[in-house]
Amino acid sequence: MINQELLFLTIITLSLLSLLFLLLLYLMSRKFFDIKKRRKIEEYKNKIYPKVLSIIAEGDLVRGLGFEKKAIKQKAMEELLSKYVKVLEGEEEKKRLSELAAICLQDYYQKRLKSKRWSHRMNALYHIEDFQMTKLQGDVVLLTRKKKISHQESIHILRILASFQFDGLKDLLQNQYHYLSEYDYRSILTRLDQGLFDQFVLSFHKSPTPLKYAILDVIAVKRLIKYRVFAENVFSAYKDEVKLRALKALAEIGCVKDIEPFLELMNSSKWQERMVAAKLIGSIKEEKGIPRLIELLHDPSWWVRSQAGQSINQFPNGKTILQRVLETSKDAYARDMAWDWLHKGV
Amino acid sequence: MFNVQWVDIVSFFGWFIAVYMVIVIVFYSVILIISTIQLRKEYQLDRIQAYEDYMEEFNTRPVSIIVPAFNEEAGIIQSVRSLLSVNYPTYEIIVVNDGSTDQTLKKLIEHYDMKEISRVVRKQVHTKPIKTIYQSSILSNLFLVDKENGGKADALNVGLNFSHYPYFCSLDGDSVLEPDAFLKVMKPIIDSNEEVIASGGSVRIANGCEIKNGHILKIGLSDNPIVVMQIIEYLRAFLMGRIGLSRHNLLLIISGAFGVFSKHWSIEAGGYKTDTVGEDMELVVRIHRLLKERGVNKKIVYVPDPVCWTEVPEDTTILRRQRRRWHRGLFESLWTHRGLTFNPKYGSIGMISFPYFWIVEFLGPIIEFLGYIFMILCLFLGGVYIEFAILLFLLSCLYGSLFSMTAVLLEEWSLTKYPKVSDILKLFLYSLTETIWYRPMTVFWRCEGVWQMLKGDKSWGEMKRKGVSK
């Protein structure tokens, strides 16, 4: 009995031991080959970078590079181009980089997009967008018809299609991706040019709420003055959060047709509305709003007080007003905020 | 008569240990499998690319960084400097001087040209009184709050009261941040549309690395055996344990060294508790509890990417204090919230997390300690076959190192931080010896922690830092 148990334990011990050594062997050889591969990549990068640079900067012929489609060289090229794409400014250079990427890496990414490994597909997507490889648009569109696809992939596919200004994007979003979050929609919409963005603005009223938020936020962040009237209409037609976002967009754009409703809004019972209204008054520099802004410095909400301070500060005589509040107000919170804005950014 | 009883005890205890071991092995193996699947999926993912999009201001949420400082004159300027170069659109830094008796306050005021400001702080969490508030006249997002001494938790609460932004991050005085640390931990929060309300990342060990001006220049493996053992421990804990637990929202610990929390929920939960030594774990448990009680579907997650490098003890005296303190902290959190254990009302937290932490994390060392004593007694009193004992011992050695090496494997798959082949060999050899010296040692210290607590000893055990940065 005992002997049997001993035997059993010995077998477990030995198998664990061999498993452990296998693991060690795997880890060490992996590290060894990784280091070797890394060295090769670095060597190749050093070799080709002057050439790559002159192709991108001066438009030299790609033929002179003598590029072969081998895994290590493609990896090296990918790394080099990733580095350059972040620092390039000129349109001409960006175009040449895209062309170079298309010549050297296109079929590599084509294959990678079909890879079984999630991380390979993701990396390919990241680079397709970075290098603006528009020739792969067809392959990327095909991916949207795949049945099993992770959320992150879908989002990135849509982002790529947006930055490629893909015509069918609106239909795609409406029919297949109507459940996305505000953040996701926003990251897609910011990549659009005016033409496609117009389509989304036109179908605003039919859009799901997160998409509405995203449209208004993009107008706000990009300060798209062209959509001022649209934002004003949304402001007067909607309630709650959509209204607030429209207001925020108007505040960023910095001009409105009629100021009255916004002066009114500074008396709203919702602190968010008071805050954004104060922001708008500040960015338009509407003198009529100053007395109420001073009152808002005494608001119970920190956000409203802070915004009121900032808005007052935007007026030419803002510093004097704040100084007066600092000296005369009996409210410690208001004095604090005035002090804060008087000393910001010194 | 006595002999019969002894044999009974031996077989009873033998069975007890066997059953316990099986439970623990099952727990660990399940967690290991979950982590492996997760990390394998992200194998070779270009991580920098994944964060790029979050650098735009309008996508991110502003964060208040709270740095509690008690007698940190050696490293405080360095750590603030490393914070100032952090890659994140909007943030403020609040250093809370917890009544230091050294030059911490003076150094900061001089170095960053701090000016006194008058500011009313809304007391959302009760704290010790604030003495003075300063703002840097060079950098308007750097604040210094001077307060009466009240411990780390109290200092964090002051920072919480003072902070302006919807998220805050607690940070140890002497840790070095990765440049993208905030992007990494804020990503799940933004991705989930703020369904995630707290998130933490891996903490790595800075000893042995070359650090200058708050930046890691070269990653290296220390030559100190105690440090190497701790590296193995950290890899195991972070890469296996936390990923596995985080996957199903079972996480009860976000390291005190680096974690981001939603201010709203932390204040709802009552802020940090000042009379425990494990305030970081206690807060996480309390938030979980609050979420379940209110029936809100929010999450606490962990990202496997390393976010911060911290200094660990290099000698046994300090390590001993640290381990005693940790174990006490663990017990205090579990005990305060003992009502959650096996309570179906608290869902998976009550049914899985709590039992796991009680059985594996808390009772583990005590049972192991009893096991060691039992073995020694058996050697004298008989009752056990020596071959049997040796084999079992060998088995536990191998089994332990198998887990450690798998952690190294996960590290290689995901982040690949240690650069040399010899580093792996070194980690392997050390992990083989763990059961012989390091494990019994830490087990003993943790049991000491329990013992101290039973005696009602409340001392803290300060961490002496020599400063990792040059």
Side-chain angles (χ1 to χ4, degrees), chain A residues 2 24 28 78 84 86 89 124 129-130 157 161-162 165 174 178 180-181 224 243 254 293 303:
Chain A
I2 285 294
L24 177 71
M28 283 177 61
E78 179 182 289
Y84 292 139
K86 281 185 192 116
E89 290 291 336
E129 185 183 11
D130 274 1
I157 287 168
L161 293 178
Q165 311 302 325
Q174 254 169 5
H178 43 77
L180 300 185
S181 75
L224 301 171
K243 182 182 177 137
L293 280 179
W303 293 100

Side-chain angles (χ1 to χ4, degrees), chain B residues 258-282:
Chain B
F258 186 86
V260 170
F261 293 84
S262 143
K263 187 170 142 189
H264 171 78
W265 284 101
S266 308
I267 286 177
E268 285 285 293
Y272 287 96
K273 201 174 150 198
T274 45
D275 56 355
T276 173
V277 289
E279 73 284 333
D280 37 4
M281 174 174 182
E282 210 276 334

